[in-house]
Amino acid sequence: MSEQPATASAPSHPASTPDEFDLPPAYDALATEQRLYEQWVESGSFRADPNPDREPYCIVLPPPNVTGALHIGHAFQQLLQDIVIRRARMQGLEALWLPGTDHAGIATQVVVERELAKEGIDRREIGREAFVEKVWEWKAQYGGRIVEQMQAMGNSCDWSRLRFTMDDGLAHAVRVAFVRLYEGGLIYRGERLVNWCPRDTTSLSDSEVNHWDVDGELVTFTYPFSDDPSHGVDVATTRVETMLGDTGIAVHPTDERYTGVIGKTVHHPFTGQDLPIAADDAVDPTFGTGAVKVTPAHDPTDFEIGQRHGWPLMNILTAQARIADTAPERFRGLDRYEARAAVLEALQELGLVKNVERPYAHPVGHCYRCDTEVEPWLAGLQWFVRVDPLKGPAKQAALDGKIRFWPERWTHAYTQWLDVLRDWNISRQLWWGHRIPVWYCPDGHMTCVVEDPSACAECGSEQLRQDPDVLDTWFSSQLWPFSTLGWPEQTTDLSYFYPTTTLITGYEILYLWVARMIMSGLYLTGDVPFHNVVIHGLVRDPHGRKMSKSVGNTIDPMDVVERAGADPLRFGLAWQATEAQNIPFGEEHVDAGRRFANKIWNASRLVLRARDGRTGPPALPDRAAMTLPERWLLSRHEAMVEEVDQALTEFHFAEAAQAIHRFFWSEFCDWSIEAEKERLYGGSPAERETAGELLAWVLERTLRVLHPMMPFVTEEIWQRFGAGESIVTAPWPEQRPELTDAEAEARFGTAQELVTAIRRFRKAHGLRDGLSLSATLAPRESDSKEIESVRPEIERLANLSSLEFGESASEVTGAARLSADGFDVFVRLEGVLDLDVERERLRARLAQVEAEAGRHRSKLANDAFVSKAPEAVVAKERVRLSSLDEEAEGLRSQLASLG
């Protein structure tokens, strides 16, 4: 792709202000960002349409919940997407970032129920239809909040394509997907144990359950034999209340302790039933007593055991996790935790309790939404997706490289999860969501169709009742990459943009969402939904803790935008966007981004003024007219462009941000602009023009490289160049390998080392920057001419009144000896420092260094320490000793030079 200024076909913007080529003294982010964003949207800068002359690049935004506000995790994830899509747009691709929001079934229903409760309204009183209307009213009032916040962050989405998972088109896609999966035998209805949240009163999929250890109790009690109550079988459980639903006892077939009891029965002390004892391979003989109570209606493993042995299912809990009427009367109506204590007490009264271990840490499943302890529960007939036929192709797509995970380690996590994936429960006992497209007639016939039927497909009855459940929110979300492009219709958008290019999301929904999109995409469209999956970590506070309002460690991105602007937050987040699973982020990163924005602004003011009113794209000056520092600058700029290109191609966002920052702050501002000031302010007209255009050329390109991370400040400056309508559609800088200049980098690099050594000397002795010093350099003979060529730059950058060349170190007296890049530099101290004071300072520091080195040397001479301490600790000691010895040698050399 040829790198040319934006053409006339690019979106046009309103004319710039009269002072279009001047920058105000300070950058006003708050006044600038809204104005620029409105220009971008009005001019259609973010629009994307099928274009046969361009290669597509498509990202679908992971839809945030319509209930929410933009939090720091959203800001981080969306920033990464915006970086990728803005760069793709500048690369000349037809770049579509398709936005949307999710109806968030459970979360939204809970929020609206809470709001109605404030008015004294119970949803059950007003009924399903009226409640759903209330939810739509709530969505209309509050649902756009997060979109407004995304726009304030600078997200370059094509807002003309904004989607909502309950839109008519997407609702149609959900029904088509359900019917096709059903007709393909991949959706079925059955009665199985589900994960049940008693607070939200709905079932959950396995992926919506988070497990963590809780301090509970392990109760060991006895089930008496039916024919000999004086003896029995001891069992251990962490949920003693579930024994009210026990229908059997199981032992491992090879456990010799129980060989003689298999086939016998025990007596239930509260129900009076006799429970059979059976052998089953699922029993872990190392847990508890090796014999387990089996509650098929309240434990997944017990359910499987019960199915194998034909034991009945006894559901002893209500939907609110209270003891049901199926249990003995004395326990009915108790909360599950109250029942736990009551059953234990009743067993103790009967003398059946052998032991209670407290606390006993064990993993317990919790609802991913509200953290309530989940109950395995029989919720009646439920709908499930049969995943075995879907898992294989989804796994193979990753193994074959059709889908590539970044970082690559997530490929293994993804395929491992698929290996153990169980059938997916998609029924949710809610009113808000996509209602299951199945109808029943009085005769029990079932009709599954896309459009609402008028009569039963089997018997013709018109008395139809739709299934009351709605689909799991993730069922509609799994269709997101193609339903948003018009599927199930074969639209032009779908043909052009699908498969999408890249998905960027957090690791916490790799299984909830990403895997399901891959399975459904392959089955329903015949192709993968995306080619790249970029998995990022979760934003934490600087101490690695989860951000929480109760802890007081949250950062509200909108507070930052209103206070400092979006760019500082964006750059601070990009700086931290490493491949770590936890991303530590604090106000110091925002402040660093703010300071960087100011640095960019101030440097740009200087460069724009240096153009002396010239407009249009900066032109690269003739190489023959360039100085060594200018050639060095171009070479370092090219290195930065190559490094950023490589980093962003591989989704290494932090590396890209740090490369840009290092180049702009240090190499461009601290070195090049300073080196050019003599030519800018004291050179001939030709020199001033060459220096000004060179700096402008480098700055303009650097702004384009930085634009995806900091869109606002770069646009505001870039438009002053008169290089095109908008940096949004300006071309991404192409690589220019011919600008790489190893010789210039080496020679000016030596000058940098010398200047840095002198600057460190100033700082070490508390000398003000304005104090002029004189120095003598003892260069290597072969490098004399090279050093001489950059003598003016060294003198100016190090603030030297003179830099002389000496033949040997012995000729220099009364000076501090510095070492840099193999050279000796002698800074004269007369009139600068008191030599006696300096000698005393050096002697004192030498004594400290020698004493510390002695301690490390003694430790390393101790065989016991070297043999027993970890290898890393010993290595650290050796490195430290070497460093101290090197410093001591330098101090002795400095003392010798002072006489």
Side-chain angles (χ1 to χ4, degrees):
M1 182 187 72
S2 175
E3 182 186 352
Q4 299 293 335
T7 64
S9 61
S12 61
H13 292 266
S16 301
T17 62
D19 298 326
E20 59 180 335
F21 301 115
D22 294 325
L23 290 178
Y27 175 57
D28 187 345
L30 301 184
T32 302
E33 291 181 353
Q34 183 176 359
R35 168 174 55 82
L36 288 178
Y37 198 86
E38 289 174 355
Q39 288 180 9
W40 292 334
V41 173
E42 290 171 5
S43 64
S45 295
F46 306 151
R47 284 188 62 92
D49 293 296
N51 184 342
D53 297 328
R54 287 187 175 184
E55 179 184 344
Y57 196 107
C58 182
I59 295 177
V60 291
L61 175 80
N65 290 348
V66 72
T67 57
L70 191 71
H71 59 62
I72 198 69
H74 288 130
F76 179 69
Q77 179 193 83
Q78 292 166 12
L79 164 69
L80 304 187
Q81 295 171 75
D82 200 28
I83 290 172
V84 172
I85 208 72
R86 283 182 181 270
R87 176 171 175 257
R89 190 180 290 119
M90 297 174 77
Q91 289 175 315
L93 306 177
E94 192 65 26
L96 169 61
W97 187 12
L98 199 155
T101 54
D102 193 285
H103 66 281
I106 297 175
T108 303
Q109 179 152 328
V110 168
V111 167
V112 177
E113 281 190 42
R114 189 182 302 131
E115 292 301 312
L116 291 176
K118 294 177 182 178
E119 304 174 24
I121 301 173
D122 186 306
R123 69 176 172 91
R124 296 169 186 83
E125 296 175 357
I126 62 175
R128 181 172 195 146
E129 186 175 338
F131 176 76
V132 171
E133 287 181 5
K134 291 286 186 182
V135 180
W136 278 109
E137 290 173 6
W138 181 92
K139 191 265 180 184
Q141 184 173 359
Y142 299 106
R145 175 175 54 175
I146 201 164
V147 171
E148 295 170 359
Q149 293 172 336
M150 285 192 282
Q151 293 175 341
M153 278 291 298
N155 292 351
S156 61
C157 301
D158 184 347
W159 296 108
S160 69
R161 295 174 174 270
L162 181 64
R163 299 291 185 265
F164 177 53
T165 52
M166 294 280 286
D167 285 346
D168 289 344
L170 275 65
H172 176 69
V174 168
R175 285 195 169 191
V176 171
F178 185 97
V179 172
R180 289 189 185 177
L181 288 165
Y182 175 76
E183 291 176 345
L186 296 178
I187 284 183
Y188 65 92
R189 190 177 184 230
E191 186 172 28
R192 301 174 57 88
L193 278 191
V194 298
N195 303 295
W196 185 263
C197 176
R199 177 176 175 180
D200 296 330
T201 59
T202 185
S203 57
L204 306 169
S205 70
D206 291 343
S207 299
E208 294 172 312
V209 179
N210 297 324
H211 292 83
W212 64 77
D213 284 352
V214 299
D215 286 335
E217 61 186 16
L218 182 66
V219 177
T220 303
F221 68 96
T222 302
Y223 264 120
F225 287 125
S226 300
D227 58 359
D228 182 7
S230 62
H231 297 85
V233 175
D234 293 340
V235 295
T237 179
T238 58
R239 298 193 301 157
V240 71
E241 74 281 3
T242 62
M243 63 87 62
L244 299 174
D246 285 354
T247 57
I249 305 292
V251 297
H252 196 273
T254 63
D255 193 335
E256 296 179 355
R257 294 172 295 177
Y258 300 106
T259 303
V261 303
I262 295 173
K264 299 185 68 173
T265 63
V266 294
H267 187 72
H268 196 291
F270 303 131
T271 68
Q273 296 176 323
D274 289 332
L275 312 181
I277 303 173
D280 197 283
D281 289 330
V283 176
D284 178 5
T286 66
F287 173 75
T289 66
V292 296
K293 52 183 285 303
V294 178
T295 320
H298 296 284
D299 182 273
T301 302
D302 291 6
F303 177 84
E304 300 295 338
I305 294 174
Q307 292 293 295
R308 282 192 289 271
H309 298 282
W311 294 343
L313 299 166
M314 183 179 292
N315 194 341
I316 56 128
L317 290 177
T318 67
Q320 290 74 33
R322 291 186 172 275
I323 302 300
D325 291 344
T326 52
E329 186 174 353
R330 65 181 292 185
F331 303 111
R332 293 174 187 170
L334 294 178
D335 173 84
R336 54 181 165 167
Y337 304 116
E338 296 172 339
R340 185 168 299 171
V343 170
L344 176 60
E345 182 181 359
L347 289 170
Q348 287 171 328
E349 291 172 358
L350 296 173
L352 297 176
V353 176
K354 291 296 185 71
N355 184 55
V356 179
E357 182 181 342
R358 296 193 187 100
Y360 181 80
H362 63 109
V364 175
H366 293 76
C367 175
Y368 81 118
R369 287 290 183 198
C370 63
D371 290 341
T372 301
E373 284 192 16
V374 168
E375 285 289 341
W377 196 60
L378 281 174
L381 289 170
Q382 301 266 303
W383 289 94
F384 296 85
V385 172
R386 199 184 311 278
V387 298
D388 280 347
L390 301 172
K391 294 193 302 185
K395 179 178 179 179
Q396 200 61 42
L399 297 177
D400 291 346
K402 287 197 72 176
I403 295 176
R404 187 172 180 184
F405 285 85
W406 306 80
E408 197 276 333
R409 68 177 185 271
W410 288 106
T411 303
H412 181 64
Y414 162 79
T415 55
Q416 268 198 323
W417 180 80
L418 285 176
D419 286 340
V420 298
L421 181 62
R422 299 190 302 180
D423 286 359
W424 171 21
N425 169 29
I426 56 174
S427 295
R428 295 295 177 267
Q429 291 65 47
L430 304 170
W431 286 354
W432 172 245
H434 294 281
R435 197 162 175 182
I436 290 174
V438 173
W439 288 260
Y440 311 97
C441 75
D443 292 335
H445 300 139
M446 190 169 65
T447 301
C448 178
V449 290
V450 174
E451 303 296 336
D452 290 6
S454 58
C456 175
E458 292 192 39
C459 66
S461 172
E462 296 181 359
Q463 299 179 30
L464 298 180
R465 175 180 58 86
Q466 188 174 0
D467 194 298
D469 288 351
V470 300
L471 288 163
D472 179 7
T473 299
W474 299 103
F475 188 92
S476 56
S477 297
Q478 72 174 335
L479 313 178
W480 190 247
F482 44 97
S483 64
T484 52
L485 294 171
W487 186 91
E489 305 304 323
Q490 191 58 40
T491 63
T492 304
D493 282 348
L494 186 67
S495 299
Y496 182 75
F497 287 113
Y498 188 86
T500 66
T501 314
T502 299
L503 176 77
I504 301 178
T505 190
Y507 67 81
E508 81 281 10
I509 57 173
L510 173 60
Y511 314 126
L512 281 168
W513 189 44
V514 178
R516 289 171 179 159
M517 284 190 287
I518 295 172
M519 288 189 285
S520 65
L522 285 167
Y523 183 80
L524 294 170
T525 74
D527 206 344
V528 294
F530 26 69
H531 294 300
N532 299 291
V533 178
V534 181
I535 302 293
H536 62 73
L538 304 183
V539 181
R540 305 297 192 190
D541 77 0
H543 304 290
R545 300 173 301 180
K546 182 178 180 180
M547 290 193 179
S548 165
K549 290 183 179 179
S550 61
V551 176
N553 62 347
T554 58
I555 294 179
D556 186 331
M558 298 319 299
D559 286 347
V560 176
V561 171
E562 293 169 5
R563 182 178 76 248
D567 282 339
L569 175 61
R570 289 171 64 105
F571 191 80
L573 287 168
W575 183 273
Q576 290 298 99
T578 65
E579 293 183 358
Q581 288 188 216
N582 290 319
I583 308 296
F585 188 78
E587 287 289 347
E588 66 273 18
H589 298 106
V590 175
D591 188 58
R594 180 190 56 78
R595 286 186 279 109
F596 188 40
N598 289 339
K599 186 81 168 180
I600 296 165
W601 187 262
N602 291 331
S604 299
R605 292 186 72 224
L606 184 151
V607 172
L608 286 168
R609 286 200 302 268
R611 295 195 78 193
D612 292 331
R614 290 185 297 276
T615 62
L620 187 62
D622 183 1
R623 191 175 184 83
M626 293 183 192
T627 63
L628 174 65
E630 290 170 343
R631 287 164 45 210
W632 172 86
L633 171 62
L634 288 177
S635 188
R636 295 309 305 149
H637 175 69
E638 174 60 20
M640 180 272 292
V641 172
E642 291 180 4
E643 186 176 355
V644 173
D645 256 339
Q646 180 72 17
L648 292 182
T649 298
E650 298 177 353
F651 307 105
H652 296 155
F653 301 100
E655 291 179 17
Q658 291 161 20
I660 297 172
H661 185 276
R662 180 177 62 249
F663 170 78
F664 194 93
W665 194 293
S666 176
E667 295 168 341
F668 185 68
C669 293
D670 292 353
W671 290 103
S672 293
I673 288 181
E674 291 302 317
E676 290 294 274
K677 282 183 177 178
E678 181 71 19
R679 285 159 63 84
L680 287 175
Y681 304 132
S684 67
E687 288 176 329
R688 289 199 302 272
E689 181 174 345
T690 296
E693 280 301 284
L694 177 77
L695 291 176
W697 189 86
V698 172
L699 173 61
E700 189 272 335
R701 281 169 55 93
T702 303
L703 290 173
R704 283 188 271 151
V705 174
L706 178 60
H707 173 71
M709 294 183 190
M710 303 180 78
F712 293 108
V713 69
T714 53
E715 175 75 287
E716 186 71 353
I717 297 168
W718 190 86
Q719 288 192 11
R720 297 325 203 267
F721 281 101
E725 294 292 345
S726 171
I727 196 172
V728 172
T729 51
W732 181 257
E734 63 183 4
Q735 294 185 17
R736 300 280 296 270
E738 73 275 11
L739 299 180
T740 301
D741 192 329
E743 179 194 6
E745 291 205 35
R747 289 172 59 191
F748 192 70
T750 297
Q752 287 179 294
E753 290 287 338
L754 295 172
V755 171
T756 299
I758 295 169
R759 287 175 174 176
R760 286 174 180 160
F761 173 78
R762 286 180 183 275
K763 185 176 182 180
H765 296 282
L767 302 177
R768 69 182 187 278
D769 293 338
L771 177 64
S772 183
L773 303 175
S774 62
T776 298
L777 181 67
R780 298 182 294 261
E781 184 176 348
S782 60
D783 294 323
S784 298
K785 292 183 179 179
E786 284 74 11
I787 295 298
E788 178 66 33
S789 69
V790 290
R791 184 207 295 249
E793 282 77 16
I794 296 174
E795 289 178 337
R796 185 166 61 257
L797 294 171
N799 193 17
L800 296 176
S801 58
S802 66
L803 177 63
E804 299 176 356
F805 290 81
E807 295 183 0
S808 67
S810 61
E811 296 182 359
V812 184
T813 59
R817 179 180 180 179
L818 313 177
S819 294
D821 198 27
F823 295 89
D824 288 328
V825 185
F826 298 90
V827 179
R828 289 184 173 79
L829 299 180
E830 185 177 357
V832 175
L833 290 175
D834 186 313
L835 295 184
D836 291 335
V837 172
E838 177 62 6
R839 292 188 191 97
E840 187 57 36
R841 186 191 71 81
L842 292 172
R843 291 190 189 104
R845 177 57 186 163
L846 178 60
Q848 291 176 342
V849 170
E850 289 177 334
E852 185 178 351
R855 290 193 294 272
H856 287 280
R857 195 169 280 108
S858 297
K859 186 179 289 188
L860 288 168
N862 185 334
D863 291 339
F865 168 76
V866 174
S867 62
K868 295 180 180 179
E871 185 177 338
V873 173
V874 176
K876 187 176 181 181
E877 288 288 327
R878 290 191 174 117
V879 170
R880 179 58 179 159
L881 176 59
S882 176
S883 175
L884 290 167
D885 285 343
E886 185 178 337
E887 184 180 357
E889 182 60 31
L891 290 167
R892 294 189 194 99
S893 176
Q894 289 183 58
L895 279 167
S897 70
L898 295 180

